[in-house]
Amino acid sequence: MLFLGIESSCDETAAAVVRDGWEVLSNEIASQAEQHAETGGVVPEVAARAHVGVILPVIDRALSTANVEMKDVDAIAVANGPGLAGSLLSGVVTANTLAAFTGKPLVGTHHILGHIRANWLERDAAEINYPIVTLTVSGGHNELVLIRDEHALPEPLGETQDDAAGEAFDKVARLLGLGYPGGPAIEKVAKGSAGVPELPRAWMLPKDISRNFSSSEAGERLRDGRLTLTNFDFSFSGLKSEVRRRVQTGDFHTAALAHEFQKAVVDVLATKLILAAQQFDAAEIHLAGGVSANLCLRERVAELASELPVRFPVKMSYCTDNAAMIAGAGYFLFQKDPAKYETGELLDAEPNLRF
Ligand code: KG4
Ligand code: ZN
């Protein structure tokens, strides 16, 4: 079954053609990163306007690269939330129009479900074992989820209480004058933080426990079982504020502070992911979302996971926003309940869509 996927929830305009949820025939992206580099972050109004000009050519390119025409496509999947309202609208209006004209089924697809399903792209579904604990982290979201079996939707275990990790990377990169997007910029310069005072890690332990330990000591105790974690939520705003405070003192070295910041973020993400995997008896661990492109995070997760298999999307381009993941997730939703998507009903853009 051929799915056309459309993604426009933030600052990438993307379209893809995917067969049966895993075989990627094309995956086209028009990125706005250059425009947002000037402002050091995404300006929603600028992002919304930029989608309008490129969405139809991007869809055309996805069809021609896949060597198919619209009539060959069996269904359309579009990311209808969460995301920036104006950005989402471009994809949703285009998908509604295409579906109305062609009479093809239209599957509204949760953007984060797309990131999670990116791990199925170009993989044999039979290789994947359940239950799975997935950490999906990007600029807009930061979620830990449990997937109990092949047909189950992800169950949230924890999410960020303030900034997402990618957002923290972007904000800290701006503080350090490293440009946008911040994650790759920080990863590139980060080097050698010996002698840099430790940055805080928000383990979300009860105060009467956390005040007895330094951040890294609490981490060690969590990993070796001397402390137990019951809260899988995240928080990165305190860490970002501490970086800002140090930058304001003027007494810092960019590469070293970037390194210490990356280490603190990776420590919390990797530790919470592994502890959740242990607690929920995961057969596999998955990483997804833009921040899963970070090699330091990948290495730390692999190191802590020891025997447990760890999967990342097979290509870096499936980590950051793309439409192949939306087509893959759309196929999965369609398989669960085809009749639901044959109604001809149009979709709304839903900036705060929940699973
Ligand atoms: O998934 P994505 O493309 O868009 C959102 O849904 O937000 O993720 C973009 C985020 C940005 O915050 C970017 O700084 C971060 O992912 N990112 C990284 C890396 N590559 C992208 N963060 C850390 N290290 C990287 N190598
Ligand atoms: Zn995303």
Side-chain angles (χ1 to χ4, degrees):
M1 189 174 185
L2 274 192
F3 257 79
L4 170 67
I6 300 175
E7 157 64 44
S8 70
S9 60
C10 185
D11 61 340
E12 324 276 7
T13 322
V17 178
V18 176
R19 179 176 284 130
D20 298 339
W22 67 275
E23 188 188 353
V24 181
L25 304 187
S26 65
N27 188 32
E28 297 292 327
I29 296 183
S31 172
Q32 306 172 6
E34 270 179 30
Q35 285 168 68
H36 301 304
E38 287 168 25
T39 41
V42 178
V43 177
E45 178 65 22
V46 174
R49 282 170 192 269
H51 286 300
V52 176
V54 295
I55 194 154
L56 291 177
V58 168
I59 291 173
D60 268 346
R61 244 170 36 223
L63 293 171
S64 63
T65 307
N67 213 6
V68 299
E69 293 177 23
M70 197 58 213
K71 66 173 172 37
D72 306 317
V73 166
D74 298 299
I76 300 163
V78 62
N80 61 329
L84 300 170
S87 290
L88 285 167
L89 260 182
S90 283
V92 169
V93 168
T94 308
N96 279 341
T97 311
L98 283 174
F101 270 104
T102 59
K104 295 182 194 286
L106 175 62
V107 184
T109 304
H110 195 285
H111 177 79
I112 300 171
L113 182 64
H115 276 298
I116 292 168
R117 298 294 301 190
N119 268 307
W120 276 253
L121 295 174
E122 295 185 32
R123 282 205 171 102
D124 182 351
E127 273 175 40
I128 296 181
N129 296 302
Y130 299 83
I132 298 166
V133 170
T134 303
L135 173 70
T136 172
V137 220
S138 77
H141 66 268
N142 198 129
E143 316 250 349
L144 199 52
V145 301
L146 173 68
I147 305 170
R148 290 188 193 270
D149 64 61
E150 201 181 329
H151 308 288
L153 282 170
E155 293 170 35
L157 302 176
E159 63 187 352
T160 184
Q161 300 299 304
D162 39 59
D163 292 350
E167 190 179 355
F169 268 101
D170 294 336
K171 288 178 175 168
V172 164
R174 193 159 17 157
L175 287 171
L176 296 174
L178 294 174
Y180 176 85
I186 287 185
E187 183 167 24
K188 204 164 145 214
V189 303
K191 216 186 287 163
S193 56
V196 178
E198 178 178 292
L199 284 167
R201 282 109 165 112
W203 297 113
M204 317 292 266
L205 286 162
K207 279 223 161 49
D208 58 330
I209 296 177
S210 64
R211 70 166 157 253
N212 297 326
F213 307 104
S214 71
S215 278
S216 59
E217 196 185 349
E220 264 167 44
R221 284 174 179 259
L222 285 167
R223 286 186 291 269
D224 69 18
R226 281 177 292 161
L227 281 176
T228 306
L229 196 66
T230 50
N231 183 339
F232 289 105
D233 285 336
F234 300 87
S235 164
F236 292 102
S237 75
L239 171 61
K240 176 197 66 193
S241 303
E242 176 58 18
V243 173
R244 178 183 295 120
R245 199 192 60 74
R246 291 194 196 176
V247 169
Q248 282 166 349
T249 65
D251 180 23
F252 70 98
H253 186 278
T254 302
L257 190 52
H259 187 257
E260 182 58 28
F261 165 77
Q262 179 172 259
K263 219 167 85 185
V265 174
V266 162
D267 207 19
V268 173
L269 292 176
T271 299
K272 291 210 167 191
L273 170 57
I274 299 299
L275 293 176
Q278 288 167 353
Q279 198 160 316
F280 291 91
D281 270 332
E284 294 191 1
I285 291 172
H286 290 188
L287 274 173
V291 181
S292 70
N294 187 281
L295 296 180
C296 180
L297 175 64
R298 291 179 171 207
E299 279 165 18
R300 186 80 172 121
V301 170
E303 178 193 347
L304 294 179
S306 62
E307 304 285 281
L308 263 184
V310 180
R311 292 186 199 271
F312 326 107
V314 299
K315 288 187 182 153
M316 285 293 186
S317 55
Y318 301 157
C319 293
T320 45
D321 287 351
N322 67 88
M325 70 183 196
I326 300 300
Y331 171 80
F332 160 77
L333 291 171
F334 185 84
Q335 290 299 306
K336 275 172 77 82
D337 188 2
K340 188 173 163 188
Y341 303 101
E342 310 263 14
T343 58
E345 222 173 277
L346 298 183
L347 293 170
D348 286 328
E350 298 189 46
N352 299 314
L353 186 65
R354 307 285 300 176
F355 274 129

